[in-house]
Amino acid sequence: DAGEPLHYGVITARILERGLWASTAATPDATVNGQISSDMRRHGAASAFVRVEPGVYAINDRVVPLPITIAATGASASEAYLDAAATVLAEYADRSPMHYTDITRRALETGLLDAAGKSHEATLYARVVADIDRLAAAGHRSRFTKHGNGLIGLSRWHKGNGDTSDESRATRDALLDSLLAMEPAEFELVVGQVLAEIGVDEIDVVAYHGDQGFDVRATLNAAASFPLRVLVQVKRWKRTVGATEVLRIRESASVDEHPMIVTTSGFTKAAVAEAASSGRQPVGLLAGSRLVSLMMDHSIGIQRRRHDVFEPVPPAPQLTFDN
């Protein structure tokens, strides 16, 4: 709406003034800056944001169509975008991924979204991506799948026919079993490696033996330029983590810390909802499936094998020599 780059402090103030977000955090501007920096770090040139100078951001007009007018962003508005996308994909996609701009256009044409002169494309795509990432981190599956270049599908189309090979599944199962069987000090080292790979440094570990895990007070250096204090609670559990644990870590975190739970199991739906509840400090969730994926991505506890690929080549030309 501003039509120009803004400092994250100004962005935060306008978000709160317009009621687009409610926060009880002592430093909500730090949260906004951290989220923008994290989005840029995860998505690179595909991020919706660009940094024009330290702390000052603009919209990436190569990704997001301008001008943007975003509808009210309460939970019901978010679900409206997700429900509209799911309905369009189910009724019009013929089990093939659709581009988010086509999904939005069809949703507007059929009245699933209220046009009212607004540009909904970026918001719909952001809602779908956030839903996929949030649920994957918590060990759940979104109803949507990403296929690159803005293409979206429904996960039910691929039920029982995922992209993960049997060999990869076996590796994941073996990694998870090894985490559960490790000595505490060894487990702590592995989790420390994973946290380091996602940008956490200055790690200070406090063990608690009765709960099969430990606490980590650390710094998450988002985009290598903006340090955020985090409280990470690691739970080596087989049972799922519930909402009570989310409430406990939120209460344990100091005003300048961002709470996060890492577990070898998963999270209940109530825990996921509580972690993202409106008006409360958000709690990061990292499930065992995502923990193992990060281990595989960064070759922690595994060894990559290379396979030779043989391809036919044309026969060598026949050479002739004059006497």
Side-chain angles (χ1 to χ4, degrees), residues 17-38:
E17 287 170 2
R18 293 177 56 178
L20 297 173
W21 176 50
S23 174
T24 58
T27 55
D29 54 339
T31 301
V32 170
N33 189 39
Q35 290 291 323
I36 295 175
S37 297
S38 176

Side-chain angles (χ1 to χ4, degrees), residues 152-164:
I152 300 169
L154 291 176
S155 56
R156 73 188 192 204
W157 295 342
H158 311 284
K159 188 175 182 180
N161 188 28
D163 296 331
T164 306

